[in-house]
Amino acid sequence: MLRLILAILLRRLLVVIPMLLVVSVMIFVILRLLPVDPIAMIISPTAMPDEVEAMRAFHGLDKPIPMQYLIWIGNVFSGDFGNAISFRVSVLNLLGETLPATIELALFALFFAIVIGFGAGLYMFHVRGTVRETVTDVFSIAMLSFPDFLWALILILLVGVQWAILPFTGRYGPEFIAPDITGFIFLDAIITADGPLLLSALGHIILPALALALAFAPLIMRVLKSSLTEVMTEDYITLARLRGIGEWRILLRHALKNGVLPTLTLVGVQFGFLFGGTLLVEIIFAYPGLGNLMVRAIRNTDLPVIQMAALTYCVVVLASNTVVDVLYVVLNPKLRK
């Protein structure tokens, strides 16, 4: 199996690298063709033309676009992501400060979506053929019609304002100073044994993660129910029934192994969209992640930050698809032959 997994990773790597290069060219060229001047956003309106040109040359914007790209991609391969024009710090530092927050948010959202989606999906399958099936189908379709930002507003109004159960701004309470170790607040709190900080971070991440999860969970419910309905017609399920095995045992120990595979594929593909969907949710909850950084960079026309943030989103999507391919092989014995 290990040899097969390594072969899959190698094949994906051979595809991913050219794909990332193509995506980087597209992002870079499109941003440079936009009718905006990032220097005009940061320089004084009273600056002389020679000062503007000097600033443009300092950031490498005076060279032809192909030359700019070759310089930039060469620096990226050497670990230099450039400097942010408006933030006046290294792009790598900005990514190091914001990317861990978005990864944590996306992982918590994925966990909540899987718990809600699998639990509700199993229940929807269990009540098939009854009046409750119609109710659950209508309920899941209604949930699908709510986008993540609407769930965010509903959760803020109900849980954050009306009931005042959980905080809804920031990453942790203002009374805490987060340790600067890995950038992942939960991991850093565990390393430093800071229980109050861990609880504060958990309280702050629940609402934005739930907003993303509630928009994603209905897809998992419906796909899991459809997959299980198809699997339960297989011969080995009929044989298990003839042996007197109970329905719940058949479902959990036999049908779920095969029925979960299409759902796993959906989770992997949709994780990329979930990760990208953090942008709006981060703005609504004032969550200091990559999406929040990207919006601020767009407002300031900070091209180095925009292009690296966009490329980071692409890398996460491709990485999640690769993980799904590997898990599919691990869970499906037919692919290991």
PDB file of all heavy atoms in Angstrom, residues 107-145:
ATOM      1  N   LEU A 107     -10.442  23.862   9.474  1.00  0.00           N
ATOM      2  CA  LEU A 107     -10.441  22.514  10.054  1.00  0.00           C
ATOM      3  C   LEU A 107     -11.570  22.346  11.073  1.00  0.00           C
ATOM      4  O   LEU A 107     -12.220  21.299  11.121  1.00  0.00           O
ATOM      5  CB  LEU A 107      -9.090  22.220  10.703  1.00  0.00           C
ATOM      6  CG  LEU A 107      -7.911  22.035   9.734  1.00  0.00           C
ATOM      7  CD1 LEU A 107      -6.614  21.810  10.502  1.00  0.00           C
ATOM      8  CD2 LEU A 107      -8.167  20.879   8.777  1.00  0.00           C
ATOM      9  N   PHE A 108     -11.793  23.367  11.898  1.00  0.00           N
ATOM     10  CA  PHE A 108     -12.912  23.298  12.835  1.00  0.00           C
ATOM     11  C   PHE A 108     -14.234  23.231  12.080  1.00  0.00           C
ATOM     12  O   PHE A 108     -15.141  22.473  12.454  1.00  0.00           O
ATOM     13  CB  PHE A 108     -12.902  24.510  13.775  1.00  0.00           C
ATOM     14  CG  PHE A 108     -12.161  24.279  15.058  1.00  0.00           C
ATOM     15  CD1 PHE A 108     -10.796  24.477  15.123  1.00  0.00           C
ATOM     16  CD2 PHE A 108     -12.821  23.859  16.193  1.00  0.00           C
ATOM     17  CE1 PHE A 108     -10.091  24.267  16.302  1.00  0.00           C
ATOM     18  CE2 PHE A 108     -12.143  23.634  17.384  1.00  0.00           C
ATOM     19  CZ  PHE A 108     -10.768  23.845  17.441  1.00  0.00           C
ATOM     20  N   ALA A 109     -14.361  24.033  11.021  1.00  0.00           N
ATOM     21  CA  ALA A 109     -15.584  24.016  10.214  1.00  0.00           C
ATOM     22  C   ALA A 109     -15.788  22.653   9.575  1.00  0.00           C
ATOM     23  O   ALA A 109     -16.917  22.133   9.536  1.00  0.00           O
ATOM     24  CB  ALA A 109     -15.515  25.108   9.143  1.00  0.00           C
ATOM     25  N   LEU A 110     -14.699  22.052   9.081  1.00  0.00           N
ATOM     26  CA  LEU A 110     -14.799  20.715   8.485  1.00  0.00           C
ATOM     27  C   LEU A 110     -15.229  19.691   9.526  1.00  0.00           C
ATOM     28  O   LEU A 110     -16.071  18.820   9.238  1.00  0.00           O
ATOM     29  CB  LEU A 110     -13.450  20.326   7.877  1.00  0.00           C
ATOM     30  CG  LEU A 110     -13.393  18.972   7.174  1.00  0.00           C
ATOM     31  CD1 LEU A 110     -14.313  18.957   5.964  1.00  0.00           C
ATOM     32  CD2 LEU A 110     -11.964  18.636   6.754  1.00  0.00           C
ATOM     33  N   PHE A 111     -14.678  19.776  10.725  1.00  0.00           N
ATOM     34  CA  PHE A 111     -15.048  18.845  11.798  1.00  0.00           C
ATOM     35  C   PHE A 111     -16.536  18.976  12.125  1.00  0.00           C
ATOM     36  O   PHE A 111     -17.262  17.975  12.207  1.00  0.00           O
ATOM     37  CB  PHE A 111     -14.202  19.113  13.043  1.00  0.00           C
ATOM     38  CG  PHE A 111     -14.635  18.341  14.255  1.00  0.00           C
ATOM     39  CD1 PHE A 111     -14.358  16.989  14.368  1.00  0.00           C
ATOM     40  CD2 PHE A 111     -15.330  18.970  15.279  1.00  0.00           C
ATOM     41  CE1 PHE A 111     -14.771  16.265  15.481  1.00  0.00           C
ATOM     42  CE2 PHE A 111     -15.738  18.256  16.394  1.00  0.00           C
ATOM     43  CZ  PHE A 111     -15.456  16.898  16.498  1.00  0.00           C
ATOM     44  N   PHE A 112     -17.011  20.200  12.307  1.00  0.00           N
ATOM     45  CA  PHE A 112     -18.429  20.416  12.616  1.00  0.00           C
ATOM     46  C   PHE A 112     -19.317  19.928  11.475  1.00  0.00           C
ATOM     47  O   PHE A 112     -20.371  19.327  11.699  1.00  0.00           O
ATOM     48  CB  PHE A 112     -18.697  21.898  12.884  1.00  0.00           C
ATOM     49  CG  PHE A 112     -18.131  22.407  14.178  1.00  0.00           C
ATOM     50  CD1 PHE A 112     -17.775  23.738  14.316  1.00  0.00           C
ATOM     51  CD2 PHE A 112     -17.942  21.567  15.257  1.00  0.00           C
ATOM     52  CE1 PHE A 112     -17.249  24.221  15.503  1.00  0.00           C
ATOM     53  CE2 PHE A 112     -17.413  22.036  16.451  1.00  0.00           C
ATOM     54  CZ  PHE A 112     -17.062  23.368  16.579  1.00  0.00           C
ATOM     55  N   ALA A 113     -18.886  20.197  10.235  1.00  0.00           N
ATOM     56  CA  ALA A 113     -19.687  19.785   9.075  1.00  0.00           C
ATOM     57  C   ALA A 113     -19.781  18.273   8.982  1.00  0.00           C
ATOM     58  O   ALA A 113     -20.851  17.723   8.665  1.00  0.00           O
ATOM     59  CB  ALA A 113     -19.088  20.364   7.793  1.00  0.00           C
ATOM     60  N   ILE A 114     -18.670  17.575   9.255  1.00  0.00           N
ATOM     61  CA  ILE A 114     -18.682  16.112   9.201  1.00  0.00           C
ATOM     62  C   ILE A 114     -19.571  15.535  10.306  1.00  0.00           C
ATOM     63  O   ILE A 114     -20.365  14.617  10.069  1.00  0.00           O
ATOM     64  CB  ILE A 114     -17.242  15.567   9.309  1.00  0.00           C
ATOM     65  CG1 ILE A 114     -16.472  15.881   8.020  1.00  0.00           C
ATOM     66  CG2 ILE A 114     -17.245  14.065   9.563  1.00  0.00           C
ATOM     67  CD1 ILE A 114     -15.012  15.499   8.075  1.00  0.00           C
ATOM     68  N   VAL A 115     -19.457  16.075  11.514  1.00  0.00           N
ATOM     69  CA  VAL A 115     -20.288  15.580  12.633  1.00  0.00           C
ATOM     70  C   VAL A 115     -21.760  15.806  12.337  1.00  0.00           C
ATOM     71  O   VAL A 115     -22.597  14.891  12.462  1.00  0.00           O
ATOM     72  CB  VAL A 115     -19.881  16.277  13.943  1.00  0.00           C
ATOM     73  CG1 VAL A 115     -20.878  15.937  15.053  1.00  0.00           C
ATOM     74  CG2 VAL A 115     -18.476  15.866  14.361  1.00  0.00           C
ATOM     75  N   ILE A 116     -22.107  17.027  11.924  1.00  0.00           N
ATOM     76  CA  ILE A 116     -23.513  17.337  11.630  1.00  0.00           C
ATOM     77  C   ILE A 116     -23.988  16.563  10.405  1.00  0.00           C
ATOM     78  O   ILE A 116     -25.077  15.969  10.402  1.00  0.00           O
ATOM     79  CB  ILE A 116     -23.692  18.857  11.404  1.00  0.00           C
ATOM     80  CG1 ILE A 116     -23.351  19.624  12.678  1.00  0.00           C
ATOM     81  CG2 ILE A 116     -25.123  19.170  10.964  1.00  0.00           C
ATOM     82  CD1 ILE A 116     -23.278  21.125  12.478  1.00  0.00           C
ATOM     83  N   GLY A 117     -23.172  16.570   9.352  1.00  0.00           N
ATOM     84  CA  GLY A 117     -23.569  15.925   8.103  1.00  0.00           C
ATOM     85  C   GLY A 117     -23.723  14.426   8.222  1.00  0.00           C
ATOM     86  O   GLY A 117     -24.707  13.854   7.738  1.00  0.00           O
ATOM     87  N   PHE A 118     -22.778  13.762   8.885  1.00  0.00           N
ATOM     88  CA  PHE A 118     -22.866  12.308   9.030  1.00  0.00           C
ATOM     89  C   PHE A 118     -24.000  11.923   9.976  1.00  0.00           C
ATOM     90  O   PHE A 118     -24.736  10.957   9.710  1.00  0.00           O
ATOM     91  CB  PHE A 118     -21.537  11.748   9.537  1.00  0.00           C
ATOM     92  CG  PHE A 118     -20.584  11.380   8.437  1.00  0.00           C
ATOM     93  CD1 PHE A 118     -19.947  12.364   7.697  1.00  0.00           C
ATOM     94  CD2 PHE A 118     -20.338  10.064   8.122  1.00  0.00           C
ATOM     95  CE1 PHE A 118     -19.078  12.044   6.689  1.00  0.00           C
ATOM     96  CE2 PHE A 118     -19.468   9.718   7.106  1.00  0.00           C
ATOM     97  CZ  PHE A 118     -18.833  10.713   6.381  1.00  0.00           C
ATOM     98  N   GLY A 119     -24.137  12.652  11.073  1.00  0.00           N
ATOM     99  CA  GLY A 119     -25.220  12.336  12.003  1.00  0.00           C
ATOM    100  C   GLY A 119     -26.586  12.503  11.361  1.00  0.00           C
ATOM    101  O   GLY A 119     -27.442  11.604  11.437  1.00  0.00           O
ATOM    102  N   ALA A 120     -26.789  13.651  10.698  1.00  0.00           N
ATOM    103  CA  ALA A 120     -28.078  13.905  10.052  1.00  0.00           C
ATOM    104  C   ALA A 120     -28.279  12.990   8.846  1.00  0.00           C
ATOM    105  O   ALA A 120     -29.402  12.558   8.563  1.00  0.00           O
ATOM    106  CB  ALA A 120     -28.168  15.367   9.623  1.00  0.00           C
ATOM    107  N   GLY A 121     -27.192  12.674   8.123  1.00  0.00           N
ATOM    108  CA  GLY A 121     -27.300  11.790   6.968  1.00  0.00           C
ATOM    109  C   GLY A 121     -27.726  10.388   7.357  1.00  0.00           C
ATOM    110  O   GLY A 121     -28.567   9.761   6.689  1.00  0.00           O
ATOM    111  N   LEU A 122     -27.147   9.884   8.449  1.00  0.00           N
ATOM    112  CA  LEU A 122     -27.550   8.562   8.945  1.00  0.00           C
ATOM    113  C   LEU A 122     -29.008   8.575   9.405  1.00  0.00           C
ATOM    114  O   LEU A 122     -29.744   7.610   9.186  1.00  0.00           O
ATOM    115  CB  LEU A 122     -26.634   8.141  10.103  1.00  0.00           C
ATOM    116  CG  LEU A 122     -25.202   7.760   9.716  1.00  0.00           C
ATOM    117  CD1 LEU A 122     -24.358   7.527  10.963  1.00  0.00           C
ATOM    118  CD2 LEU A 122     -25.174   6.530   8.823  1.00  0.00           C
ATOM    119  N   TYR A 123     -29.411   9.666  10.032  1.00  0.00           N
ATOM    120  CA  TYR A 123     -30.803   9.746  10.467  1.00  0.00           C
ATOM    121  C   TYR A 123     -31.746   9.820   9.260  1.00  0.00           C
ATOM    122  O   TYR A 123     -32.807   9.163   9.249  1.00  0.00           O
ATOM    123  CB  TYR A 123     -31.002  10.970  11.360  1.00  0.00           C
ATOM    124  CG  TYR A 123     -32.428  11.133  11.841  1.00  0.00           C
ATOM    125  CD1 TYR A 123     -32.926  10.332  12.865  1.00  0.00           C
ATOM    126  CD2 TYR A 123     -33.284  12.070  11.259  1.00  0.00           C
ATOM    127  CE1 TYR A 123     -34.236  10.453  13.308  1.00  0.00           C
ATOM    128  CE2 TYR A 123     -34.588  12.202  11.688  1.00  0.00           C
ATOM    129  CZ  TYR A 123     -35.064  11.396  12.710  1.00  0.00           C
ATOM    130  OH  TYR A 123     -36.364  11.520  13.136  1.00  0.00           O
ATOM    131  N   MET A 124     -31.373  10.595   8.231  1.00  0.00           N
ATOM    132  CA  MET A 124     -32.191  10.696   7.025  1.00  0.00           C
ATOM    133  C   MET A 124     -32.337   9.333   6.357  1.00  0.00           C
ATOM    134  O   MET A 124     -33.410   8.979   5.849  1.00  0.00           O
ATOM    135  CB  MET A 124     -31.588  11.704   6.048  1.00  0.00           C
ATOM    136  CG  MET A 124     -31.679  13.149   6.499  1.00  0.00           C
ATOM    137  SD  MET A 124     -30.765  14.270   5.403  1.00  0.00           S
ATOM    138  CE  MET A 124     -31.715  14.131   3.886  1.00  0.00           C
ATOM    139  N   PHE A 125     -31.262   8.564   6.367  1.00  0.00           N
ATOM    140  CA  PHE A 125     -31.341   7.223   5.783  1.00  0.00           C
ATOM    141  C   PHE A 125     -32.212   6.315   6.643  1.00  0.00           C
ATOM    142  O   PHE A 125     -32.984   5.499   6.122  1.00  0.00           O
ATOM    143  CB  PHE A 125     -29.938   6.629   5.660  1.00  0.00           C
ATOM    144  CG  PHE A 125     -29.925   5.204   5.184  1.00  0.00           C
ATOM    145  CD1 PHE A 125     -30.133   4.903   3.851  1.00  0.00           C
ATOM    146  CD2 PHE A 125     -29.715   4.165   6.076  1.00  0.00           C
ATOM    147  CE1 PHE A 125     -30.129   3.579   3.403  1.00  0.00           C
ATOM    148  CE2 PHE A 125     -29.710   2.852   5.652  1.00  0.00           C
ATOM    149  CZ  PHE A 125     -29.926   2.561   4.305  1.00  0.00           C
ATOM    150  N   HIS A 126     -32.121   6.466   7.951  1.00  0.00           N
ATOM    151  CA  HIS A 126     -32.880   5.607   8.864  1.00  0.00           C
ATOM    152  C   HIS A 126     -34.388   5.822   8.724  1.00  0.00           C
ATOM    153  O   HIS A 126     -35.169   4.865   8.871  1.00  0.00           O
ATOM    154  CB  HIS A 126     -32.439   5.887  10.301  1.00  0.00           C
ATOM    155  CG  HIS A 126     -33.188   5.105  11.330  1.00  0.00           C
ATOM    156  ND1 HIS A 126     -33.117   3.728  11.424  1.00  0.00           N
ATOM    157  CD2 HIS A 126     -34.045   5.502  12.316  1.00  0.00           C
ATOM    158  CE1 HIS A 126     -33.876   3.312  12.411  1.00  0.00           C
ATOM    159  NE2 HIS A 126     -34.457   4.361  12.972  1.00  0.00           N
ATOM    160  N   VAL A 127     -34.805   7.065   8.436  1.00  0.00           N
ATOM    161  CA  VAL A 127     -36.250   7.364   8.379  1.00  0.00           C
ATOM    162  C   VAL A 127     -36.781   7.298   6.950  1.00  0.00           C
ATOM    163  O   VAL A 127     -37.895   7.767   6.699  1.00  0.00           O
ATOM    164  CB  VAL A 127     -36.549   8.753   8.991  1.00  0.00           C
ATOM    165  CG1 VAL A 127     -36.123   8.811  10.436  1.00  0.00           C
ATOM    166  CG2 VAL A 127     -35.869   9.868   8.185  1.00  0.00           C
ATOM    167  N   ARG A 128     -36.001   6.728   6.013  1.00  0.00           N
ATOM    168  CA  ARG A 128     -36.470   6.646   4.632  1.00  0.00           C
ATOM    169  C   ARG A 128     -37.767   5.820   4.568  1.00  0.00           C
ATOM    170  O   ARG A 128     -37.942   4.861   5.324  1.00  0.00           O
ATOM    171  CB  ARG A 128     -35.396   6.022   3.737  1.00  0.00           C
ATOM    172  CG  ARG A 128     -35.147   4.560   3.994  1.00  0.00           C
ATOM    173  CD  ARG A 128     -33.863   4.083   3.330  1.00  0.00           C
ATOM    174  NE  ARG A 128     -33.683   2.644   3.445  1.00  0.00           N
ATOM    175  CZ  ARG A 128     -33.297   2.021   4.543  1.00  0.00           C
ATOM    176  NH1 ARG A 128     -33.052   2.708   5.631  1.00  0.00           N
ATOM    177  NH2 ARG A 128     -33.145   0.715   4.544  1.00  0.00           N
ATOM    178  N   GLY A 129     -38.653   6.213   3.682  1.00  0.00           N
ATOM    179  CA  GLY A 129     -39.911   5.497   3.527  1.00  0.00           C
ATOM    180  C   GLY A 129     -40.975   5.885   4.530  1.00  0.00           C
ATOM    181  O   GLY A 129     -42.048   5.278   4.552  1.00  0.00           O
ATOM    182  N   THR A 130     -40.676   6.880   5.382  1.00  0.00           N
ATOM    183  CA  THR A 130     -41.664   7.339   6.359  1.00  0.00           C
ATOM    184  C   THR A 130     -41.980   8.814   6.102  1.00  0.00           C
ATOM    185  O   THR A 130     -41.370   9.464   5.245  1.00  0.00           O
ATOM    186  CB  THR A 130     -41.140   7.174   7.800  1.00  0.00           C
ATOM    187  OG1 THR A 130     -40.035   8.082   7.992  1.00  0.00           O
ATOM    188  CG2 THR A 130     -40.660   5.748   8.040  1.00  0.00           C
ATOM    189  N   VAL A 131     -42.920   9.320   6.867  1.00  0.00           N
ATOM    190  CA  VAL A 131     -43.279  10.739   6.747  1.00  0.00           C
ATOM    191  C   VAL A 131     -42.093  11.625   7.122  1.00  0.00           C
ATOM    192  O   VAL A 131     -41.886  12.707   6.544  1.00  0.00           O
ATOM    193  CB  VAL A 131     -44.494  11.056   7.648  1.00  0.00           C
ATOM    194  CG1 VAL A 131     -44.826  12.547   7.597  1.00  0.00           C
ATOM    195  CG2 VAL A 131     -45.694  10.233   7.223  1.00  0.00           C
ATOM    196  N   ARG A 132     -41.279  11.162   8.066  1.00  0.00           N
ATOM    197  CA  ARG A 132     -40.117  11.951   8.497  1.00  0.00           C
ATOM    198  C   ARG A 132     -39.094  12.129   7.384  1.00  0.00           C
ATOM    199  O   ARG A 132     -38.306  13.082   7.414  1.00  0.00           O
ATOM    200  CB  ARG A 132     -39.470  11.287   9.710  1.00  0.00           C
ATOM    201  CG  ARG A 132     -40.262  11.456  11.001  1.00  0.00           C
ATOM    202  CD  ARG A 132     -39.608  10.726  12.151  1.00  0.00           C
ATOM    203  NE  ARG A 132     -39.686   9.282  11.997  1.00  0.00           N
ATOM    204  CZ  ARG A 132     -39.117   8.404  12.822  1.00  0.00           C
ATOM    205  NH1 ARG A 132     -38.427   8.840  13.864  1.00  0.00           N
ATOM    206  NH2 ARG A 132     -39.251   7.105  12.629  1.00  0.00           N
ATOM    207  N   GLU A 133     -39.075  11.237   6.396  1.00  0.00           N
ATOM    208  CA  GLU A 133     -38.150  11.391   5.278  1.00  0.00           C
ATOM    209  C   GLU A 133     -38.439  12.683   4.520  1.00  0.00           C
ATOM    210  O   GLU A 133     -37.512  13.420   4.160  1.00  0.00           O
ATOM    211  CB  GLU A 133     -38.238  10.198   4.331  1.00  0.00           C
ATOM    212  CG  GLU A 133     -37.289  10.312   3.144  1.00  0.00           C
ATOM    213  CD  GLU A 133     -37.386   9.140   2.196  1.00  0.00           C
ATOM    214  OE1 GLU A 133     -38.403   8.417   2.248  1.00  0.00           O
ATOM    215  OE2 GLU A 133     -36.452   8.952   1.389  1.00  0.00           O
ATOM    216  N   THR A 134     -39.716  12.968   4.273  1.00  0.00           N
ATOM    217  CA  THR A 134     -40.088  14.197   3.568  1.00  0.00           C
ATOM    218  C   THR A 134     -39.675  15.425   4.371  1.00  0.00           C
ATOM    219  O   THR A 134     -39.149  16.400   3.824  1.00  0.00           O
ATOM    220  CB  THR A 134     -41.607  14.231   3.315  1.00  0.00           C
ATOM    221  OG1 THR A 134     -41.984  13.064   2.590  1.00  0.00           O
ATOM    222  CG2 THR A 134     -41.996  15.466   2.532  1.00  0.00           C
ATOM    223  N   VAL A 135     -39.879  15.356   5.679  1.00  0.00           N
ATOM    224  CA  VAL A 135     -39.522  16.481   6.549  1.00  0.00           C
ATOM    225  C   VAL A 135     -38.019  16.733   6.514  1.00  0.00           C
ATOM    226  O   VAL A 135     -37.564  17.880   6.376  1.00  0.00           O
ATOM    227  CB  VAL A 135     -39.995  16.217   7.993  1.00  0.00           C
ATOM    228  CG1 VAL A 135     -39.529  17.340   8.921  1.00  0.00           C
ATOM    229  CG2 VAL A 135     -41.507  16.086   8.042  1.00  0.00           C
ATOM    230  N   THR A 136     -37.244  15.655   6.628  1.00  0.00           N
ATOM    231  CA  THR A 136     -35.782  15.821   6.625  1.00  0.00           C
ATOM    232  C   THR A 136     -35.272  16.277   5.268  1.00  0.00           C
ATOM    233  O   THR A 136     -34.316  17.063   5.194  1.00  0.00           O
ATOM    234  CB  THR A 136     -35.102  14.502   7.026  1.00  0.00           C
ATOM    235  OG1 THR A 136     -35.544  13.446   6.149  1.00  0.00           O
ATOM    236  CG2 THR A 136     -35.411  14.139   8.458  1.00  0.00           C
ATOM    237  N   ASP A 137     -35.876  15.820   4.178  1.00  0.00           N
ATOM    238  CA  ASP A 137     -35.478  16.262   2.848  1.00  0.00           C
ATOM    239  C   ASP A 137     -35.732  17.757   2.679  1.00  0.00           C
ATOM    240  O   ASP A 137     -34.873  18.498   2.166  1.00  0.00           O
ATOM    241  CB  ASP A 137     -36.227  15.483   1.769  1.00  0.00           C
ATOM    242  CG  ASP A 137     -35.650  14.099   1.548  1.00  0.00           C
ATOM    243  OD1 ASP A 137     -34.481  13.884   1.923  1.00  0.00           O
ATOM    244  OD2 ASP A 137     -36.355  13.229   1.008  1.00  0.00           O
ATOM    245  N   VAL A 138     -36.902  18.201   3.086  1.00  0.00           N
ATOM    246  CA  VAL A 138     -37.240  19.627   2.989  1.00  0.00           C
ATOM    247  C   VAL A 138     -36.300  20.452   3.863  1.00  0.00           C
ATOM    248  O   VAL A 138     -35.827  21.522   3.460  1.00  0.00           O
ATOM    249  CB  VAL A 138     -38.713  19.865   3.396  1.00  0.00           C
ATOM    250  CG1 VAL A 138     -39.009  21.355   3.503  1.00  0.00           C
ATOM    251  CG2 VAL A 138     -39.650  19.216   2.385  1.00  0.00           C
ATOM    252  N   PHE A 139     -36.005  19.937   5.051  1.00  0.00           N
ATOM    253  CA  PHE A 139     -35.119  20.650   5.971  1.00  0.00           C
ATOM    254  C   PHE A 139     -33.711  20.783   5.387  1.00  0.00           C
ATOM    255  O   PHE A 139     -33.096  21.851   5.465  1.00  0.00           O
ATOM    256  CB  PHE A 139     -35.078  19.914   7.307  1.00  0.00           C
ATOM    257  CG  PHE A 139     -34.220  20.584   8.346  1.00  0.00           C
ATOM    258  CD1 PHE A 139     -34.652  21.748   8.951  1.00  0.00           C
ATOM    259  CD2 PHE A 139     -32.995  20.056   8.709  1.00  0.00           C
ATOM    260  CE1 PHE A 139     -33.866  22.380   9.909  1.00  0.00           C
ATOM    261  CE2 PHE A 139     -32.198  20.678   9.655  1.00  0.00           C
ATOM    262  CZ  PHE A 139     -32.638  21.844  10.266  1.00  0.00           C
ATOM    263  N   SER A 140     -33.208  19.711   4.780  1.00  0.00           N
ATOM    264  CA  SER A 140     -31.854  19.764   4.204  1.00  0.00           C
ATOM    265  C   SER A 140     -31.797  20.710   3.013  1.00  0.00           C
ATOM    266  O   SER A 140     -30.815  21.424   2.823  1.00  0.00           O
ATOM    267  CB  SER A 140     -31.394  18.361   3.796  1.00  0.00           C
ATOM    268  OG  SER A 140     -32.202  17.838   2.745  1.00  0.00           O
ATOM    269  N   ILE A 141     -32.852  20.721   2.198  1.00  0.00           N
ATOM    270  CA  ILE A 141     -32.893  21.645   1.058  1.00  0.00           C
ATOM    271  C   ILE A 141     -32.959  23.093   1.553  1.00  0.00           C
ATOM    272  O   ILE A 141     -32.314  23.991   0.987  1.00  0.00           O
ATOM    273  CB  ILE A 141     -34.099  21.325   0.155  1.00  0.00           C
ATOM    274  CG1 ILE A 141     -33.906  19.961  -0.516  1.00  0.00           C
ATOM    275  CG2 ILE A 141     -34.294  22.404  -0.905  1.00  0.00           C
ATOM    276  CD1 ILE A 141     -35.115  19.474  -1.282  1.00  0.00           C
ATOM    277  N   ALA A 142     -33.719  23.312   2.613  1.00  0.00           N
ATOM    278  CA  ALA A 142     -33.803  24.664   3.185  1.00  0.00           C
ATOM    279  C   ALA A 142     -32.429  25.112   3.701  1.00  0.00           C
ATOM    280  O   ALA A 142     -32.030  26.268   3.522  1.00  0.00           O
ATOM    281  CB  ALA A 142     -34.828  24.691   4.312  1.00  0.00           C
ATOM    282  N   MET A 143     -31.695  24.191   4.328  1.00  0.00           N
ATOM    283  CA  MET A 143     -30.350  24.529   4.810  1.00  0.00           C
ATOM    284  C   MET A 143     -29.408  24.847   3.653  1.00  0.00           C
ATOM    285  O   MET A 143     -28.560  25.732   3.757  1.00  0.00           O
ATOM    286  CB  MET A 143     -29.783  23.369   5.635  1.00  0.00           C
ATOM    287  CG  MET A 143     -30.420  23.186   6.997  1.00  0.00           C
ATOM    288  SD  MET A 143     -29.608  21.868   7.953  1.00  0.00           S
ATOM    289  CE  MET A 143     -27.986  22.592   8.230  1.00  0.00           C
ATOM    290  N   LEU A 144     -29.568  24.119   2.542  1.00  0.00           N
ATOM    291  CA  LEU A 144     -28.726  24.373   1.365  1.00  0.00           C
ATOM    292  C   LEU A 144     -28.933  25.772   0.800  1.00  0.00           C
ATOM    293  O   LEU A 144     -28.028  26.336   0.185  1.00  0.00           O
ATOM    294  CB  LEU A 144     -29.023  23.338   0.274  1.00  0.00           C
ATOM    295  CG  LEU A 144     -28.308  21.996   0.364  1.00  0.00           C
ATOM    296  CD1 LEU A 144     -28.839  21.043  -0.698  1.00  0.00           C
ATOM    297  CD2 LEU A 144     -26.807  22.181   0.205  1.00  0.00           C
ATOM    298  N   SER A 145     -30.120  26.330   1.000  1.00  0.00           N
ATOM    299  CA  SER A 145     -30.419  27.645   0.426  1.00  0.00           C
ATOM    300  C   SER A 145     -29.814  28.786   1.236  1.00  0.00           C
ATOM    301  O   SER A 145     -29.836  29.936   0.800  1.00  0.00           O
ATOM    302  CB  SER A 145     -31.935  27.834   0.335  1.00  0.00           C
ATOM    303  OG  SER A 145     -32.522  27.859   1.628  1.00  0.00           O
TER     304      SER A 145
END
